[in-house]
Amino acid sequence: MQRLDQSPIDPAFVQNPYPFYDQARQAGDFFWWQEYGMACAVSHKAVHAVLRDKRMGRECPPELAPDTPDHLRPFYEIEAHSMLELEPPRHTRLRALVLRAFTSRTIAALEPGIEQLCHSLIDQFPDQPFDLLKYYAQPVPVMIICRLLGVPESCADDLLRWSNAMVAMYQAARTKSIEDDAAQASRDFSAFMRDYIKQRRKTPGDDLISTLIAAEEAGDKLNEDELITTCILLLNAGHEATVHTLGNGVKTLLEQDVRTINPSTVEEIIRFDPPLHMFTRWVYEDVTINRQAFKRGDQIACLLGAANRDPLAYKNPNDFVANRQGPQNTSFGGGIHFCVGAPLARLELLIALRVLFERCPRLSMSDAPHYANVYHFHGIKRLMVISDP
């Protein structure tokens, strides 16, 4: 396995990681990323295989579990109940309960509200150049997930702040200050959700929290810690990736002079410049994948952004093709951890982009956009635009 050096916080890499992925892919399906100290699946074939192999998973083998520093206990106490970090049988039970509340009918019912929200936000666009992330890409997903959960929209700013602080734990440039902020956000977020769940137990509503409280699977229910973590996970995951995809997508559409939005356009946006570039798996038993041997306790990083630009999977992968036909992109993960919110994300992106360009056909960037130094996420730091509806 070839060993490669590439700092994930190098400015050139942050702004454009794809040349490094192209270089890494030349070494085969896997390479060893020195800075992360782990093997990386870099081809579409290998990423697809690792994500779906049941001999691997998200949960760290018990004998390798690190000690949790005291200052991070509030954060990891929440993570301990996250279905994103668990494997069967706990994952199976939690996901089944969530899916009963996260139905296609529930998602479809949000469509008129998403469209109305998008129009309302566009009505408030400033006349002078403004940051589209602040005025549009950030509020759309956080307001919608608030409505889905049944949390007051007046709390959106707090929820966004807590969520950003917690998600920052996964970036390569993590510091003690980031860790402290994440721990405090975990305390605040957990306390808020605990109080709000108590209200919903007394007065259930037509919302996902109430549905999760009532949901049963084989006579089982979410306990309070699981319920709190699940709500936090849905909010964190439900807005973070969509914000980045909206920002990256608008940037790409403006650069490519594409204004017609349909489901194929949305899929190409998700493939071409995805919001999450790395998703890891632990190896649970000795296994060989694509002629590469791994042992129990190894960790493999699936490079989603690289898989989506694999020339063996996509013709001219570095070109944006609005109506591209090809294999499913890897941006939502795969296997049992395939993103439960994928249908909602696709709906939000379709409506938000369509309404934006219908209302603002002459939208243009007023400054060159730059990506934030938050790898393994990949999103625009700010997107300054001018709108002439």
Side-chain angles (χ1 to χ4, degrees):
M1 187 185 306
Q2 185 171 344
R3 293 174 177 262
L4 297 177
D5 289 285
Q6 174 59 65
S7 169
I9 61 173
D10 173 69
F13 174 80
V14 168
Q15 295 308 310
N16 185 10
Y18 299 106
F20 172 69
Y21 296 156
D22 289 341
Q23 174 195 354
R25 210 182 294 107
Q26 299 306 309
D29 292 317
F30 296 92
F31 75 97
W32 184 268
W33 196 336
Q34 296 279 48
E35 281 76 5
Y36 280 99
M38 70 174 73
C40 297
V42 70
S43 69
H44 188 278
K45 178 182 179 181
V47 168
H48 187 276
V50 172
L51 288 174
R52 287 160 177 78
D53 197 312
K54 293 182 179 180
R55 295 168 294 182
M56 305 177 193
R58 291 285 296 167
E59 201 166 353
C60 179
E63 69 273 18
L64 298 177
D67 293 331
T68 300
D70 288 341
H71 73 287
L72 284 176
R73 289 193 184 281
F75 176 82
Y76 285 109
E77 284 171 357
I78 291 175
E79 293 285 282
H81 302 288
S82 172
M83 63 181 176
L84 183 64
E85 305 298 337
L86 299 174
E87 292 300 308
R90 290 188 67 195
H91 173 272
T92 306
R93 170 179 162 272
L94 288 172
R95 189 176 177 98
L97 289 166
V98 170
L99 285 175
R100 290 190 60 175
F102 221 76
T103 65
S104 56
R105 179 177 297 180
T106 301
I107 302 307
L110 293 170
E111 183 169 352
I114 298 173
E115 186 157 352
Q116 183 276 328
L117 173 62
C118 291
H119 282 289
S120 175
L121 291 169
I122 292 171
D123 288 341
Q124 301 172 54
F125 280 179
D127 293 331
Q128 66 274 19
F130 62 95
D131 183 0
L132 191 74
L133 298 187
K134 176 181 177 181
Y135 283 86
Y136 196 68
Q138 290 176 351
V140 168
V142 74
M143 298 290 271
I144 295 305
I145 200 68
C146 280
R147 293 177 183 180
L148 181 64
L149 287 171
V151 175
E153 293 176 28
S154 59
C155 300
D157 288 345
D158 284 338
L159 300 178
L160 187 61
R161 177 167 49 84
W162 296 331
S163 179
N164 288 339
M166 293 181 69
V167 171
M169 283 286 289
Y170 299 103
Q171 64 179 282
R174 189 170 122 185
T175 64
K176 175 62 161 52
S177 177
I178 288 173
E179 292 178 348
D180 289 340
D181 289 345
Q184 186 58 53
S186 299
R187 294 187 193 95
D188 294 340
F189 210 156
S190 182
F192 170 83
M193 290 307 309
R194 197 175 301 277
D195 288 343
Y196 196 74
I197 288 167
K198 287 180 181 177
Q199 295 179 34
R200 275 292 179 257
R201 287 192 190 279
K202 294 177 182 177
T203 56
D206 185 19
D207 55 68
L208 194 143
I209 290 178
S210 298
T211 305
L212 286 174
I213 290 171
E216 295 187 15
E217 180 71 18
D220 200 5
K221 292 186 178 183
L222 293 168
N223 64 43
E224 186 158 278
D225 287 337
E226 292 170 338
L227 186 53
I228 289 170
T229 292
T230 298
C231 290
I232 291 175
L233 171 64
L234 292 174
L235 199 141
N236 288 357
H239 94 273
E240 187 76 20
T242 308
V243 170
H244 290 326
T245 309
L246 270 174
N248 298 355
V250 171
K251 167 188 175 289
T252 298
L253 294 171
L254 292 175
E255 290 175 339
Q256 301 294 324
D257 194 25
V258 174
R259 297 293 188 276
T260 301
I261 311 300
N262 56 46
S264 294
T265 314
V266 170
E267 288 304 305
E268 178 68 348
I269 286 170
I270 295 169
R271 179 202 72 86
F272 183 75
D273 204 18
L276 178 66
H277 278 217
M278 178 187 287
F279 203 48
T280 57
R281 289 287 192 274
W282 289 98
V283 178
Y284 294 146
E285 60 183 83
D286 294 358
V287 60
T288 298
I289 299 179
N290 296 0
R291 299 187 300 278
Q292 181 64 53
F294 297 97
K295 295 185 177 297
R296 175 178 172 81
D298 287 345
Q299 198 171 16
I300 302 174
C302 294
L303 299 188
L304 311 181
N308 288 347
R309 297 283 190 105
D310 186 348
L312 294 181
Y314 305 97
K315 182 179 179 181
N316 300 321
N318 292 317
D319 294 341
F320 182 85
V321 181
N323 294 303
R324 180 184 293 275
Q325 300 298 314
Q328 180 175 313
N329 63 72
T330 64
S331 299
F332 289 114
I336 67 171
H337 288 288
F338 183 81
C339 178
V340 71
L344 175 59
R346 287 185 167 112
L347 182 64
E348 287 180 348
L349 291 165
L350 179 64
I351 295 173
L353 291 169
R354 188 191 69 224
V355 171
L356 177 66
F357 285 106
E358 286 177 352
R359 290 285 305 277
C360 307
R362 290 185 291 277
L363 186 76
S364 61
M365 289 184 284
S366 59
D367 288 315
H370 293 279
Y371 291 90
N373 184 14
V374 291
Y375 193 84
H376 47 84
F377 295 105
H378 185 65
I380 299 296
K381 187 174 184 178
R382 66 174 190 165
L383 186 60
M384 296 302 296
V385 299
I386 187 163
S387 172
D388 183 17

